[in-house]
Amino acid sequence: MATVPERPLVMKFGGTSVGSPTAMAQAVDIVRGEAPRWPGVVVVTSALAGTTDALLRAARAAAQGDAAAVRQARQQLEEAHWAVAQALVPASDRAEVWAGVQKHLETLENLGRAMTVLGEATPRGLDAVAALGERMSVLLLTAALRAQGVDAEALDATEVLVTDANFGAAHPDLDASRQRVHRRLAPRLRPGRVVVVPGFIAATPDGIVTTLGRGGSDYSAALLAALLPAAEVWIWTDVDGVMSADPRLVPQAHTIPVLSYREVAELAYFGAKVLHPKTIRPVVEADIPLRVRNTFHPRGPSTLIVREREVTPGQIKAITLIRDLSMVIVEGRGMLGVPGVAARTFAAVAGTGTSVLLISQASSEQSICFIVPGRTQGKVVSALEEAFAAEIARRDIDRVRALEGVVIVTLVGEGMRHTPGIAGRVFGALGAQGINVIAIAQGASEVAISLVVSEADARRALHALHPLTEN
Ligand code: ADP
Ligand code: ASP
Ligand code: MG
């Protein structure tokens, strides 16, 4: 007889996995198949694909005085949600479920009107609007599961996940959240039972809705898994697990069967959208295995992410790309040996609220260069010019300049550590295509090597380097 695991399972379905009647039907099938095999299943759901974008766009337009945008968004969302309700929610429950969806759409109109009157959309207001997407999808998914005989109930994430008030990218309070998870979520779990929770959203201790950042449903699932704790977390998405490159950019990309937490953390940080970068930390600390699987190909290849694994020396597992970046360069002969230039540089950048993605310094100490999101370039350069006004006047610093339109290409693999010759292979592959490397950086972990190249070379660089993952 198959043994039932001792701990529950947490599964998360992404926007595409619940974005149409066929997709949600598939998700329901997957949950129905798993539910009897666990002592409880928590299903974390994203909003229907495109919903969060539509909500935020409407809110921003409303704040600009475009009241019609909200009505249009409402209509578009109504159509998408109605298609799912009609296909998957039985007529007997549909009126009640639809009333719930309408209540959220009503809230959208009310918040939109308030934003038009105020002429602004505050981060708090935007979170209230963005949260509506997951709240609507939970209603549909719970009803669709029940319709297929699954013992499902909904629980709002604002009941269990407590965060600070950093709207748009709130930080969880783990102790407070754990208490609530144990009080409000764990007691509902039992064999065959499914609790459906909206991803992405949480609340402050006072109950004001927050969000965890775009793509944050993965993070919600990881947090709930760590707090319960769960046996495993499965992330159901629209590709066959974590792949050697974004399959939209590199069609030859293959699924990576096993990855370490460190490898996947680097991948996520350096742009592999398949997992939100914050997802890894809670599950590493609780040592919970994470699987990434394809909703549309549930028996196909998938990725298992675990703590330890055998390392194949020299192996490069994956390549990622981050676009729309700028390189900022602080340079001058007078910087040579002057202590504190780096500290002052990064203090000035931090003062603008910009996060630096990569740093490299030439050994001559005559320049510091670093990479920031392209849209922050202007304010970063101004802040540095102000911070170093005296040095610039004295010509100790020649200038602060920015190079627009660069990308970071990152190669990831634990096997690169202590393996000589990796850099040679990388530069060889790029050199053969005549691709110029503007800067290079390797983290102390040696699990990743990042290269800065021009936006114009981005695709060619990916294609030139991808064969290195096939060893
Ligand atoms: P979800 O809505 O399920 O969270 P996302 O769109 O956030 O899905 O993430 C899945 C997408 O991530 C894929 O469709 C793929 O285009 C992209 N992606 C980027 N890098 C990778 C990679 N290395 N492996 C797999 N998918 C990747
Ligand atoms: N719906 C949210 C977003 O689009 C969260 C998520 O899908 O993970 O960002
Ligand atoms: Mg995602």
Side-chain angles (χ1 to χ4, degrees):
M1 202 179 88
T3 51
V4 174
E6 278 175 22
R7 293 187 191 171
L9 173 68
V10 174
M11 293 202 270
K12 174 256 170 177
F13 290 91
T16 329
S17 301
V18 293
S20 67
T22 22
M24 197 184 279
Q26 182 73 19
V28 166
D29 244 24
I30 290 170
V31 176
R32 192 171 54 145
E34 288 303 324
R37 305 178 41 210
W38 299 86
V41 172
V42 177
V43 168
V44 175
T45 182
S46 288
L48 272 58
T51 300
T52 313
D53 283 338
L55 289 167
L56 290 173
R57 225 183 300 119
R60 293 202 175 96
Q64 301 291 318
D66 180 0
V70 174
R71 277 195 303 278
Q72 278 159 15
R74 176 173 184 163
Q75 197 183 341
Q76 175 201 334
L77 293 173
E78 223 166 48
E79 281 167 21
H81 289 78
W82 178 249
V84 173
Q86 212 182 13
L88 304 183
V89 180
S92 53
D93 295 345
R94 210 177 290 143
E96 191 188 333
V97 169
W98 195 245
V101 171
Q102 286 296 344
K103 197 188 88 199
H104 293 309
L105 291 171
E106 228 20 81
T107 305
L108 168 65
E109 290 224 36
N110 291 336
L111 289 169
R113 255 193 301 275
M115 287 171 179
T116 303
V117 171
L118 292 169
E120 70 166 347
T122 60
R124 176 174 164 171
L126 289 171
D127 272 3
V129 169
L132 299 170
E134 269 67 10
R135 288 182 152 163
M136 293 191 287
S137 66
V138 161
L139 293 174
L140 296 177
L141 183 56
T142 310
L145 284 164
R146 286 210 189 125
Q148 294 304 315
V150 178
D151 176 16
E153 66 168 319
L155 175 67
D156 202 76
T158 57
E159 297 279 318
V160 285
L161 289 178
V162 183
T163 66
D164 63 10
N166 184 31
F167 297 104
H171 307 290
D173 176 337
L174 294 182
D175 290 330
S177 302
R178 186 176 295 109
Q179 280 183 15
R180 294 202 186 181
V181 164
H182 287 174
R183 220 174 38 235
R184 297 178 181 170
L185 173 58
R188 296 174 195 240
L189 295 171
R190 54 176 170 267
R193 165 62 71 84
V194 173
V195 179
V196 187
V197 182
F200 182 51
I201 72 174
T204 65
D206 305 339
I208 298 161
V209 180
T210 58
T211 66
L212 303 175
R214 293 304 307 271
S217 294
D218 300 332
Y219 188 31
S220 305
L223 285 169
L224 292 174
L227 296 171
L228 275 165
E232 297 195 11
V233 189
W234 296 358
I235 304 287
W236 291 96
T237 184
D238 58 1
V239 285
D240 287 345
V242 182
M243 308 186 75
S244 52
D246 185 341
R248 288 185 211 184
L249 301 175
V250 182
Q252 310 87 300
H254 57 266
T255 299
I256 308 167
V258 185
L259 275 168
S260 70
Y261 290 126
R262 286 160 73 123
E263 287 171 324
V264 84
E266 298 284 348
L267 274 169
Y269 177 81
F270 285 110
K273 190 190 170 202
V274 63
L275 276 182
H276 189 281
K278 289 185 181 167
T279 312
I280 317 305
R281 192 159 158 211
V283 293
V284 178
E285 286 170 358
D287 211 359
I288 298 172
L290 188 78
R291 287 178 202 275
V292 182
R293 307 183 63 174
N294 190 342
T295 304
F296 306 98
H297 197 191
R299 274 177 259 289
S302 63
T303 301
L304 173 65
I305 298 155
V306 284
R307 182 176 294 269
E308 298 293 341
R309 62 166 310 277
E310 275 174 34
V311 172
T312 309
Q315 191 175 37
I316 297 171
K317 295 249 186 94
I319 304 182
T320 63
L321 176 67
I322 313 183
R323 287 208 146 106
D324 299 324
L325 305 174
S326 288
M327 178 148 102
V328 179
I329 305 143
V330 181
E331 60 193 343
R333 258 168 296 233
M335 285 167 61
L336 193 71
V338 177
V341 175
R344 284 169 60 201
T345 299
F346 294 113
V349 178
T352 66
T354 303
S355 59
V356 172
L357 285 108
L358 180 152
I359 303 170
S360 112
Q361 181 174 28
S363 59
S364 69
E365 292 187 40
Q366 288 180 27
S367 74
I368 297 175
C369 67
F370 55 92
I371 305 292
V372 295
R375 66 191 142 73
T376 65
Q377 173 192 316
K379 67 177 176 186
V380 168
V381 170
S382 309
L384 289 167
E385 282 170 348
E386 200 180 311
F388 290 116
E391 285 80 359
I392 292 169
R394 282 202 303 271
R395 298 283 177 92
D396 283 346
I397 287 178
D398 294 330
R399 58 183 176 150
V400 177
R401 64 192 172 97
L403 192 63
E404 265 176 69
V406 301
V407 303
I408 299 178
V409 176
T410 302
L411 298 108
V412 177
E414 299 239 32
M416 296 195 299
R417 201 184 317 182
H418 312 306
T419 309
I422 298 279
R425 282 159 64 200
V426 170
F427 285 107
L430 294 173
Q433 299 295 319
I435 296 166
N436 180 38
V437 177
I438 301 168
I440 175 163
Q442 177 169 31
S445 73
E446 293 184 61
V447 173
I449 299 176
S450 293
L451 312 162
V452 179
V453 302
S454 150
E455 176 86 53
D457 289 334
R459 243 173 208 273
R460 281 198 308 135
L462 271 190
H463 284 270
L465 293 170
H466 188 259
L468 301 183
T469 65
E470 278 152 13
N471 54 3

